[in-house]
Amino acid sequence: GQSLEQPSEVTAVEGAIVQINCTYQTSGFYGLSWYQQHDGGAPTFLSYNGLDGLEETGRFSSFLSRSDSYGYLLLQELQMKDSASYFCAVKPGTYKYIFGTGTRLKVLA
Amino acid sequence: GAVVSQHPSRVICKSGTSVKIECRSLDFQATTMFWYRQFPKQSLMLMATSNEGSKATYEQGVEKDKFLINHASLTLSTLTVTSAHPEDSSFYICSARVAGEETQYFGPGTRLLVL
């Protein structure tokens, strides 16, 4: 089967750094994306890794290791507004996406 | 830019009726649109992928005769839940993608409650 595993919940304080891991097992692999979703809202795109290595976008960075079937999202200088669910998503085919189980991030004051 | 709208945002219907949900890309042309279903506090499950002018591709386990998808133009896709039942109650979200880009732009979602 195809699966993406993430920690269910992560808690951190404002200003801290947090890493959300994603391990995947899929029949194909084109790339790994990360999305943020606030309660009741729609997911918003954060980053995409098609190749191994680190991609940085402001306070967010995403890493991919294809040989390890592993990636992570790194959030720096945490803010209260970062409290949300974060999903990794694998693109195993041209027109297909599989989303991870999701990680609820709680940022404490 | 890159705004996707969905209508309606919420719908309550009786069991056995059909419900149509519209997904529009407001300021760009979407070569591909996706329909997802999300249960409370759970992940997004891809239901189907639609490309403009062609038949939708459904994921395994999704009944194509129950969830009718039409992608009539580069800015509009519709999902019709036919003969809805209480187990169809869920949060339905569409997304749109431009050819050559990896970003999916999601609509705000439609919360369906079937009584």
Side-chain angles (χ1 to χ4, degrees):
Chain A
Q2 307 198 89
S3 66
L4 282 78
E5 296 294 328
Q6 302 177 232
S8 59
E9 194 170 294
V10 173
T11 302
V13 296
E14 269 189 303
I17 299 172
V18 71
Q19 178 174 312
I20 299 174
N21 299 321
C22 173
T23 56
Y24 60 88
Q25 183 176 357
T26 58
S27 57
F29 184 86
Y30 281 69
L32 182 72
S33 301
W34 288 92
Y35 288 84
Q36 178 192 62
Q37 185 181 30
H38 287 96
D39 285 345
T44 55
F45 173 81
L46 294 177
S47 69
Y48 174 78
N49 293 71
L51 301 172
D52 286 359
L54 191 68
E55 293 284 340
E56 297 180 75
T57 308
R59 294 188 297 116
F60 300 105
S61 302
S62 59
F63 172 83
L64 173 66
S65 169
R66 297 173 70 139
S67 60
D68 295 324
S69 297
Y70 163 78
Y72 66 72
L73 179 69
L74 191 73
L75 297 87
Q76 303 183 71
E77 300 172 21
L78 280 178
Q79 302 175 9
M80 296 296 289
K81 67 178 182 179
D82 297 330
S83 293
S85 291
Y86 292 83
F87 295 92
C88 59
V90 164
K91 182 183 172 186
T94 307
Y95 299 114
K96 188 177 176 73
Y97 293 89
I98 301 172
F99 277 72
T101 50
T103 299
R104 288 186 69 86
L105 171 64
K106 292 184 181 178
V107 180
L108 306 177
Chain B
V3 177
V4 176
S5 70
Q6 265 183 257
H7 179 80
S9 58
R10 293 175 182 271
V11 58
I12 300 174
C13 68
K14 293 182 178 180
S15 185
T17 60
S18 293
V19 175
K20 179 185 280 190
I21 303 170
E22 290 188 351
C23 176
R24 293 180 184 272
S25 56
L26 298 184
D27 50 3
F28 67 102
Q29 292 186 326
T31 50
T32 307
M33 287 186 168
F34 304 89
W35 286 95
Y36 292 87
R37 183 172 180 176
Q38 186 176 34
F39 291 103
K41 300 188 187 301
Q42 293 190 25
S43 188
L44 288 83
M45 289 180 51
L46 180 64
M47 299 175 66
T49 303
S50 72
N51 291 293
E52 185 263 341
S54 61
K55 290 184 178 180
T57 301
Y58 290 81
E59 293 301 301
Q60 192 173 11
V62 178
E63 299 175 58
K64 62 180 181 181
D65 294 329
K66 180 167 184 64
F67 299 100
L68 301 178
I69 292 172
N70 183 276
H71 192 162
S73 74
L74 285 172
T75 59
L76 173 65
S77 177
T78 60
L79 168 67
T80 301
V81 183
T82 62
S83 186
H85 288 97
E87 58 265 30
D88 298 324
S89 299
S90 190
F91 190 49
Y92 292 88
I93 315 176
C94 71
S95 72
R97 199 185 79 178
V98 176
E101 290 188 15
E102 292 303 330
T103 306
Q104 287 186 69
Y105 301 100
F106 282 86
T110 297
R111 205 162 293 281
L112 170 64
L113 177 61
V114 185
L115 301 176

